[in-house]
Amino acid sequence: MPTSSPTRFGRIVDVQESRLIAVIDTEDGVFPVAEVEGKPVPLGQLGSYVVVRQLDIELIAMVVRAYQEERGLHLAPDGAMRGSSSHFENRGMVNLVPLGQVDKNGVFHRGVIAFPTPGAELHYILPHELDILFKKYVAKGYELGYLPSLATKGVCLDPSTLFARHIAILGQSGSGKSWGVTTLIQRAVAAMPNAHIILLDLHGEYVWQDDAGTVHSAFPLEITNYFDARDLEIPYWLFTYSELIDLLIDPNDDKAPTQKAFLREVLLALRKKDNKEIEGIQISIDSPVYFSMIELYQQFKKANEQTTDFGKVKGPLYGQFDEFLVKLQSRFNDVRYDFLFKPKQRKNSASLVSLLEDFVGLGKKKAQITVIDFSHVPFDVRPMISAQVGRLAFEFNYWNPRSSEFPLLLVCEEAHNYIPREIGTQYDAARRSMERIAKEGRKYGVGLAVVSQRPHELSETVLAQCGNFICFRITNPADQEYIRSLVPDAESDLVNILSALGRGEILALGEAIPIPTRIRMHRPNPEPHSGDVDYFQQWKHGPKDIDVGSIVNRWRRQGR
């Protein structure tokens, strides 16, 4: 092995625009082990960093593949070994993805200006060289984890870029996403005491009660507001005209155009009628002001049954609203929709102020985190409520003259359930709401974090607008290919690492981190209520009987 430098362990033999190939210096193909900070470290590990040096070029790269290659040899007349197929030897090989360069002043820059040529030296990276890579955001103190190959080396991200440019948190079930989300939020409120985060909790993982009724939380209770989505009461009168169409009108009904036209007319009239006391505004069809749903129903019913000449002549809209009235009546009578159609608190336009105060943590209890629990909400109602949550977040800061001083982050757990890739479904309103934040939220201080185990089912528009990716283990080839299509071409080969990540490990890509990095995330404290069911213990020592009657009662009450 050449000894030009104690850190050298190979040389470059192939140079491409987005990939380098190096051969290891050992003769038997065995990868060497180096001592770093007094500990043995195998060189060439997947996800580890190396330095490529040649003259003034100092390039940082990541190992994405390590393997051995057979090379044929034969004995020449002068006694030297030459290439042949009669004898073989192994040689170690590594594939590298170039990430950036260190300039003459010792400053790291992403991207490669000058590529090395074959023959350049391959060196393992030393701790002080790692400091050059990651020192950029250390002062902000937002550390999510550490390097798996060097546990003493914490990795800090830029929270401003992370939250402003949106985040996609992706990984298969059981890879540690809930832990990751908890760590991300715990560390955010610790580093930034004026953070304002809204979390859509679909499974009751972040705030929950045990069998004794004790409330537990993954976040400090003194800075956390918890709301059952039904109790938060996002009332019907906040819906826009288009959202009410999605809710009340069947697009396949041949009378739908007439119903839409009449809804527009009646809705505007009712909003104006019920808010005459509000001065200084021009009320429109989408204004967030109260109107009576009962009166809306009565207006449709009256027009639908109108006759003249003692019932001999039918009115122009007679029978046009049969389907509409049936659908509205069924929604109104369904107890699952009571929090929407029969609000107990939000019964007038003035109540919008208290709703927004609770929503962003400015109510009676000041809070950095608002957890909205969807676990008690029926599946078919969730898209409707999530659409309103997204719209409230956007509209709040859109109209906030101090939005740049009061940024919000909306975290959407299991986002594929209500922000789907497919168009023309019951989730269209939610998808439009979140896509609006993805496309325009950065201008108004509204960040979006989408969490999903099925990225290929998630809205392409939302993912395309994400400037940062926190990827946990993903073994599905289709999902890997989809993620590969979303990240920059120079980093696409890094996606191969995803299937090798351990639980709680991530590959962080994007603008908020100096270079693409494999990180072992800090364990959250406390942890969310997201552990897998222990089949062995429960089937061996679990209960032999349960109260089926209580299950039926919960089902009927639609309350868990």
Side-chain angles (χ1 to χ4, degrees):
M1 177 175 176
T3 57
S4 58
S5 167
T7 59
R8 169 176 167 156
F9 72 105
R11 59 187 172 85
I12 301 299
V13 295
D14 184 63
V15 179
Q16 301 175 39
E17 184 177 1
S18 59
R19 181 184 301 177
L20 308 175
I21 299 177
V23 60
I24 303 303
D25 285 333
T26 54
E27 295 180 357
D28 54 4
V30 175
F31 281 69
V33 175
E35 187 173 296
V36 179
E37 293 189 335
K39 296 182 180 180
V41 177
L43 303 182
Q45 292 185 85
L46 291 185
S48 63
Y49 300 106
V50 293
V51 184
V52 178
R53 293 192 175 102
Q54 187 177 54
L55 300 178
D56 292 335
I57 296 174
E58 188 165 325
L59 184 148
I60 306 298
M62 179 185 280
V63 178
V64 294
R65 185 187 177 198
Y67 58 101
Q68 288 185 330
E69 181 180 79
E70 284 189 340
R71 182 172 61 165
L73 301 172
H74 74 275
L75 188 63
D78 60 1
M81 299 299 289
R82 299 285 187 265
S84 172
S85 59
S86 56
H87 296 84
F88 296 92
E89 75 166 9
N90 288 326
R91 61 177 185 172
M93 308 289 293
V94 288
N95 288 5
L96 311 170
V97 172
L99 303 175
Q101 289 185 257
V102 178
D103 64 22
K104 295 180 180 179
N105 298 318
V107 179
F108 175 77
H109 303 276
R110 293 188 73 160
V112 179
I113 299 174
F115 280 88
T117 57
E121 295 183 347
L122 180 68
H123 297 257
Y124 63 85
I125 200 163
L126 296 171
H128 73 272
E129 292 171 319
L130 283 172
D131 290 337
I132 294 174
L133 303 183
F134 295 111
K135 69 180 181 181
K136 187 174 182 180
Y137 303 127
V138 170
K140 295 188 176 182
Y142 189 55
E143 181 180 306
L144 291 186
Y146 54 90
L147 298 180
S149 58
L150 195 61
T152 59
K153 194 61 61 183
V155 180
C156 292
L157 279 64
D158 177 15
S160 295
T161 307
L162 182 68
F163 300 131
R165 302 285 182 178
H166 310 312
I167 321 162
I169 302 173
L170 310 173
Q172 66 190 42
S173 179
S175 59
K177 293 189 303 300
S178 297
W179 276 23
V181 169
T182 305
T183 295
L184 184 142
I185 295 176
Q186 287 177 352
R187 299 257 165 179
V189 296
M192 298 162 284
N194 292 326
H196 296 281
I197 300 170
I198 301 160
L199 171 61
L200 304 190
D201 182 4
L202 264 67
H203 302 299
E205 295 179 329
Y206 299 96
V207 179
W208 68 96
Q209 287 187 355
D210 60 23
D211 293 338
T214 304
V215 176
H216 300 270
S217 174
F219 315 111
L221 286 171
E222 61 272 16
I223 61 167
T224 303
N225 267 341
Y226 166 81
F227 295 99
D228 184 314
R230 299 169 301 178
D231 296 335
L232 186 61
E233 282 193 0
I234 302 176
Y236 66 86
W237 50 266
L238 281 179
F239 282 38
T240 64
Y241 169 64
S242 62
E243 289 168 342
L244 286 169
I245 288 175
D246 291 340
L247 180 64
L248 301 174
I249 296 177
D250 182 356
N252 298 317
D253 188 347
D254 58 0
K255 298 168 185 172
T258 305
Q259 295 170 8
K260 292 177 183 179
F262 192 70
L263 177 62
R264 173 183 288 275
E265 177 185 331
V266 172
L267 182 60
L268 180 58
L270 290 178
R271 288 196 194 273
K272 290 182 176 180
K273 172 178 175 291
D274 290 331
N275 296 277
K276 293 178 180 178
E277 74 283 359
I278 301 179
E279 299 179 355
I281 67 167
Q282 183 70 34
I283 292 178
S284 71
I285 196 171
D286 288 333
S287 293
V289 293
Y290 173 83
F291 70 90
S292 170
M293 182 62 76
I294 293 177
E295 194 165 346
L296 179 81
Y297 176 84
Q298 291 172 343
Q299 294 265 23
F300 269 85
K301 189 173 186 295
K302 180 180 178 181
N304 194 58
E305 298 173 350
Q306 186 177 23
T307 60
T308 58
D309 194 15
F310 302 100
K312 296 178 182 179
V313 180
K314 297 178 179 179
L317 298 176
Y318 186 89
Q320 292 292 308
F321 305 140
D322 290 339
E323 293 293 332
F324 177 90
L325 291 168
V326 169
K327 192 169 185 178
L328 178 54
Q329 188 69 50
S330 67
R331 288 273 195 266
F332 205 73
N333 292 334
D334 190 336
V335 295
R336 300 176 304 167
Y337 290 85
D338 279 358
F339 69 97
L340 189 66
F341 289 119
K342 301 175 184 177
K344 297 176 182 178
Q345 303 176 62
R346 322 293 180 191
K347 296 181 178 180
N348 53 61
S349 298
S351 63
L352 178 57
V353 174
S354 63
L355 170 61
L356 290 175
E357 286 176 341
D358 289 340
F359 187 70
V360 299
L362 296 178
K364 293 180 180 179
K365 178 185 175 183
K366 300 296 187 287
Q368 292 173 260
I369 305 167
T370 300
V371 177
I372 303 177
D373 185 358
F374 278 64
S375 64
H376 304 285
V377 176
F379 282 98
D380 58 340
V381 184
R382 290 179 181 180
M384 186 188 317
I385 303 305
S386 59
Q388 293 308 305
V389 169
R391 191 165 72 88
L392 282 177
F394 183 86
E395 297 287 356
F396 179 86
N397 255 11
Y398 180 83
W399 299 106
N400 179 8
R402 301 177 66 183
S403 60
S404 61
E405 303 170 31
F406 196 87
L408 303 173
L409 175 68
L410 179 61
V411 182
C412 299
E413 270 277 7
E414 302 287 354
H416 54 273
N417 283 329
Y418 48 93
I419 317 176
R421 185 179 187 179
E422 186 179 355
I423 298 175
T425 68
Q426 60 174 322
Y427 308 109
D428 279 357
R431 182 176 47 77
R432 288 195 301 266
S433 179
M434 300 305 177
E435 286 180 352
R436 185 185 187 193
I437 294 177
K439 290 186 287 188
E440 304 177 39
R442 182 174 59 86
K443 306 172 190 175
Y444 308 107
V446 184
L448 185 65
V450 290
V451 187
S452 177
Q453 58 182 293
R454 295 199 289 271
H456 65 281
E457 295 181 13
L458 194 57
S459 164
E460 287 182 283
T461 300
V462 168
L463 283 178
Q465 294 296 323
C466 290
N468 302 285
F469 290 84
I470 294 178
C471 299
F472 290 81
R473 184 174 65 253
I474 295 176
T475 57
N476 184 295
D479 284 336
Q480 286 190 9
E481 285 304 313
Y482 188 52
I483 294 173
R484 196 188 310 277
S485 69
L486 295 169
V487 302
D489 289 342
E491 299 175 0
S492 61
D493 280 349
L494 300 176
V495 175
N496 296 332
I497 294 175
L498 295 181
S499 60
L501 296 177
R503 182 178 172 85
E505 283 191 341
I506 62 170
L507 177 64
L509 305 161
E511 303 170 46
I513 190 162
I515 55 175
T517 308
R518 183 175 182 172
I519 302 172
R520 180 171 291 279
M521 294 196 78
H522 290 306
R523 190 165 185 157
N525 183 26
E527 299 174 5
H529 189 54
S530 61
D532 295 333
V533 174
D534 190 335
Y535 274 73
F536 174 76
Q537 288 297 329
Q538 296 307 319
W539 282 1
K540 187 172 184 178
H541 303 294
K544 296 182 179 180
D545 191 17
I546 58 173
D547 186 354
V548 177
S550 68
I551 296 174
V552 173
N553 186 41
R554 288 168 180 261
W555 187 1
R556 287 171 175 164
R557 289 189 294 107
Q558 292 289 298
R560 298 178 61 200

